[in-house]
């Protein structure tokens, strides 16, 4: 139950200290009272939990993680390719 | 590359990334000096681990101990009875979050209370209480507040709204426009580090390292875990809830053991800082203080692990106002239930004699079966994968 959901801010209602966020196609209102005054802007990614925005998601950091994942997958693929090549040559040796 | 919302979902569930981490973990696990038991404290992690079959991807020498789970699972029966008794008062509307629906107390669950005529409402957000109170001026709206650190600031924010509005409108002028006189609170907020400390201080407990729940640290910061590597020699990685987050965190822990390190690290850097959300913390501090004790279902009394309203807010405190009708005797779980041992890593759910027979998600007997995030419930749902 403590899970919060990544969402994107689409509207801000300063007067009521509320925002409208999009969670993969579902739009919801969320309170901004846990955030500092100028903290949240339209287009920001945030974590939504039971009707409140509890924090921003650091875009740069998320991208950094994605880049790391891309690299480790590449490394794994490369190793698998090499192993395949090795297996192949082994087979040929055996055949010879 | 521009970040898109779907990256935050899909890329952290990517099967190839999970596979790549499984491989890294298997390689590093060859260097482990001894097998390790990792506890995931939070039911959200248990759910991810079971749902994505993460246990099957890990080598023999890495095991999981499923932790206390969720704020619903650890709620002792006597406090559920409080909710039940309050709900049965004729002039009360009891409001709580949906997770509480089925949890059985000694008279039944809140769902049962409702079928016996009580006005119980399950809401998405504590803020929904404002509307309910406004529409039902003759009724007393009692918010039965549950949750770890993640959810506490939202209760504080509701109380803050009510208290501020009443101040502006003058407490002396009850009935004045905007004066909210019919919202009260029953507080059951609990804190994670105290429970972790209690678990590892048990000599028989079998835990070498922790996955810390990221969303708790979004509010409280990663600093709440600093004592574990420092004073208890147990490493902690603060981990997000997507399967890639969990795999990366396991990998970080295994690397620590392989390299002979013991540290606090944060995997979920995208929303966790050392200090957390200070505004939320200030709000908690303003309205709450540590309760001497909270009795965790399955674990027993843990000092300082719960919160209560500060005495100056007694006027909002349903536990104080209804003191005379609330039961106070602790109620133990069924004798056959071994939740306590499961939570300490001494047993696994299928070892319980009544697992899946007398005790099922539809008729839970112990705490680990009551919510989908409990260890027994997760094994019941996804256990056929094992
Ligand atoms: S199966 Fe039920 S009774 Fe057995 S340990 Fe789990 S919750 Fe307790």
């Amino acid at each position: 139950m403590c899970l919060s959901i990544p969402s994107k801010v689409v509207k801000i209602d300063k007067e009521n200290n509320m925002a409208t966020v999009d969670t993969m196609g579902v739009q919801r209102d969320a309170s901004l009272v846990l955030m500092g005054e100028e903290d949240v802007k339209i287009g920001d990614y945030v974590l939504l939990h039971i009707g409140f925005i509890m924090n921003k998601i650091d875009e740069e950091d998320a991208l950094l993680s994605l880049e790391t994942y891309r690299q480790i997958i590449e490394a794994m693929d490369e190793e698998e390719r090499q192993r395949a090549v090795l297996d192949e040559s082994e087979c040929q040796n055996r055949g010879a | 590359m521009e970040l898109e919302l779907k990256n935050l979902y899909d890329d952290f569930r990517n099967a190839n990334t999970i596979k790549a981490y499984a491989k890294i973990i298997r390689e590093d696990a060859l260097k482990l000096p001894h097998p390790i038991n990792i506890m995931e404290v939070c039911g959200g992690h248990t759910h991810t681990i079971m749902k994505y079959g993460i246990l099957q991807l890990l080598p023999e020498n890495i095991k999981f101990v499923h932790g206390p789970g969720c704020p619903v699972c650890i709620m002792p029966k006597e406090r559920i009875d409080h909710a039940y008794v309050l709900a049965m008062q004729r002039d009360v509307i009891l409001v709580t979050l949906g997770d509480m629906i089925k949890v059985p107390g000694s008279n039944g669950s809140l769902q049962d209370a409702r079928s016996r005529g009580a006005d119980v409402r399950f809401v998405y957000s504590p803020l929904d209480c404002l509307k309910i109170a406004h529409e039902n001026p003759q009724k007393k709206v009692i918010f039965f507040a549950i949750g770890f650190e993640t959810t506490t600031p939202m209760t504080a924010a509701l109380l803050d709204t009510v208290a501020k509005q009443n101040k502006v409108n003058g407490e002396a002028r009850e009935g004045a426009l905007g004066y909210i006189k019919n919202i009260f609170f029953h507080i059951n907020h609990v804190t994670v580090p105290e429970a972790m400390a209690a678990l590892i201080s048990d000599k028989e407990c079998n835990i070498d390292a922790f996955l810390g729940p990221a969303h708790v640290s979004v509010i409280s910061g990663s600093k709440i875990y600093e004592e574990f590597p420092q004073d208890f020699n147990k490493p902690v990685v603060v981990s997000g809830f997507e399967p890639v987050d969990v795999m990366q965190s396991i990998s970080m822990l295994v690397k620590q053991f392989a390299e002979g390190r013991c540290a606090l690290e944060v995997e979920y850097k995208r929303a966790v800082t050392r200090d957390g959300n200070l505004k939320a913390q200030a709000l908690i501090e303003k309205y709450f203080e540590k309760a001497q004790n909270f009795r965790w279902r399955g674990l027993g009394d843990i000092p300082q692990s719960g919160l209560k309203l500060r005495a100056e807010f007694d006027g909002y405190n349903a536990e104080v106002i209804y003191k005379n009708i609330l039961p106070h005797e602790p109620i133990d779980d069924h004798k056959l239930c071994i939740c306590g041992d499961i939570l300490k890593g001494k047993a696994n759910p299928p070892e319980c004699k009544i697992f899946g027979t007398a005790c099922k998600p539809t008729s839970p007997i112990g705490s680990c079966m009551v919510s989908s995030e409990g260890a027994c419930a997760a094994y019941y749902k996804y256990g056929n994968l094992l």
Side-chain angles (χ1 to χ4, degrees):
Chain A
M1 68 151 293
C2 291
L3 297 192
S4 55
I5 333 172
S7 311
K8 188 171 186 166
V9 178
V10 292
K11 212 167 81 195
I12 289 181
D13 169 4
K14 271 226 166 110
E15 203 176 311
N16 295 308
N17 210 14
M18 297 288 287
T20 307
V21 301
D22 175 87
T23 312
M24 299 304 274
V26 183
Q27 295 219 340
R28 271 188 264 225
D29 290 336
S31 167
L32 283 166
V33 299
L34 301 180
M35 303 304 294
E37 230 165 72
E38 298 293 320
D39 276 359
V40 178
K41 297 185 298 299
I42 290 176
D44 280 352
Y45 296 100
V46 293
L47 287 172
L48 173 70
H49 180 56
I50 56 170
F52 291 79
I53 289 177
M54 60 189 283
N55 216 345
K56 285 212 315 190
I57 295 174
D58 187 315
E59 223 169 298
E60 225 170 277
D61 206 275
L63 286 173
L64 203 69
S65 296
L66 299 188
E67 175 57 24
T68 311
Y69 302 155
R70 200 186 54 75
Q71 283 171 7
I72 63 166
I73 290 179
E74 227 167 60
M76 182 179 69
D77 288 349
E78 178 59 25
E79 253 177 62
E80 274 178 12
R81 222 180 356 257
Q82 283 185 2
R83 186 157 338 112
V85 172
L86 276 180
D87 287 351
E88 188 97 326
S89 51
E90 252 178 43
C91 289
Q92 278 165 7
N93 288 345
R94 233 178 271 143
Chain B
M1 171 178 164
E2 278 265 337
L3 191 66
E4 285 180 41
L5 193 53
K6 75 173 183 16
N7 296 127
L8 291 172
Y9 288 85
D10 299 351
D11 292 354
F12 289 93
R13 293 174 191 171
N14 181 306
N16 284 332
T17 317
I18 296 173
K19 224 168 86 188
Y21 269 115
K23 185 163 172 280
I24 296 173
I25 291 170
R26 274 197 303 273
E27 283 166 10
D28 286 337
L30 297 174
K31 298 176 226 150
L32 283 180
H34 56 82
I36 54 171
N37 288 323
I38 302 173
M39 169 175 271
E40 89 279 15
V41 186
C42 167
H45 282 147
T46 312
H47 200 88
T48 302
I49 289 169
M50 299 306 290
K51 180 170 175 189
Y52 291 91
I54 286 178
L55 297 181
Q56 291 80 353
L57 299 174
L58 299 177
E60 275 284 294
N61 56 352
I62 301 173
K63 292 260 182 316
F64 264 91
V65 176
H66 310 294
C70 66
V72 173
C73 308
I74 58 90
M75 193 77 66
K77 272 196 180 145
E78 60 269 22
R79 295 193 79 80
I80 297 159
D81 288 352
H82 280 197
Y84 189 95
V85 168
L86 293 172
M88 289 311 260
Q89 302 303 302
R90 231 183 258 146
D91 61 344
V92 165
I93 301 176
L94 190 95
V95 181
T96 188
L97 303 179
D99 307 63
M100 282 301 298
I101 249 174
K102 280 190 268 159
V103 193
S106 36
N107 307 311
S109 66
L110 288 174
Q111 201 172 21
D112 298 329
R114 193 147 76 163
S115 67
R116 288 169 200 149
D119 193 345
V120 183
R121 307 205 187 170
F122 300 100
V123 294
Y124 160 68
S125 167
L127 290 178
D128 297 336
C129 290
L130 292 169
K131 187 157 172 265
I132 297 172
H134 184 73
E135 288 169 355
N136 298 276
Q138 306 311 327
K139 297 269 189 154
K140 298 187 174 77
V141 173
I142 301 179
F143 181 58
F144 190 80
I146 55 168
F148 289 123
E149 289 89 331
T150 322
T151 307
T152 315
M154 293 73 186
T155 304
L158 172 64
L159 178 50
D160 192 57
T161 309
V162 176
K164 269 191 185 146
Q165 194 159 325
N166 287 349
K167 207 163 191 179
V168 172
N169 293 295
E171 309 215 9
R173 295 186 300 119
E174 262 196 46
L177 202 64
Y179 185 90
I180 309 170
K181 66 168 194 291
N182 60 337
I183 294 188
F184 304 91
F185 294 80
H186 187 290
I187 301 299
N188 302 279
H189 287 302
V190 283
T191 50
V192 170
E194 285 73 13
M196 285 166 59
L199 280 168
I200 49 178
S201 61
D202 183 324
K203 272 200 268 347
E204 285 177 68
C205 140
N206 226 338
I207 302 166
D208 301 302
F210 289 99
L211 281 192
H215 293 158
V216 161
S217 285
V218 168
I219 298 295
S220 306
S222 61
K223 63 174 191 283
I224 55 169
Y225 301 120
E226 280 168 2
E227 59 177 315
F228 294 97
Q230 273 166 25
D231 305 343
F232 300 101
N233 201 27
K234 309 276 181 201
V236 180
V237 170
V238 178
S239 169
F241 291 92
E242 298 296 349
V244 169
D245 287 319
V246 171
M247 289 301 280
Q248 185 178 359
S249 302
I250 298 171
S251 163
M252 288 164 77
L253 280 174
V254 172
K255 274 215 162 61
Q256 286 200 29
F257 280 97
E259 293 166 6
R261 290 183 296 122
C262 174
L264 165 64
E265 294 178 317
V266 178
E267 178 274 335
Y268 199 73
K269 286 218 185 80
R270 57 192 186 276
V272 169
T273 56
R274 179 174 182 273
D275 289 330
N277 182 332
L278 296 177
K279 203 166 169 200
Q281 288 169 32
L283 214 48
I284 295 174
E285 185 60 32
K286 182 167 172 195
Y287 292 101
F288 295 105
E289 61 186 347
K290 291 239 163 227
Q292 233 172 30
N293 202 17
F294 192 93
R295 192 162 174 272
W296 294 53
R297 200 171 173 181
L299 289 178
D301 289 338
I302 303 180
Q304 308 268 309
S305 67
L307 297 176
K308 61 175 187 185
L309 286 180
R310 292 185 179 278
E312 60 196 280
F313 304 106
D314 272 357
Y316 293 106
N317 191 338
E319 245 181 295
V320 172
I321 297 167
Y322 289 93
K323 194 169 68 215
N324 294 331
I325 60 163
L326 296 177
H328 294 286
E329 279 303 301
I331 306 167
D332 284 323
D333 265 324
H334 197 281
K335 276 199 297 297
L336 289 174
C337 175
I338 56 165
C339 277
D341 286 349
I342 293 174
L343 297 179
K344 288 173 192 153
K346 289 193 256 175
N348 263 321
E351 289 168 47
C352 171
K353 288 204 182 72
I354 49 176
F355 171 82
T357 52
C359 184
K360 290 190 257 210
T362 44
S363 55
I365 287 185
S367 67
C368 308
M369 195 62 99
V370 290
S371 132
S372 64
E373 294 176 9
C376 293
Y379 267 74
Y380 187 87
K381 183 159 181 207
Y382 300 109
N384 55 350
L385 299 171
L386 289 176

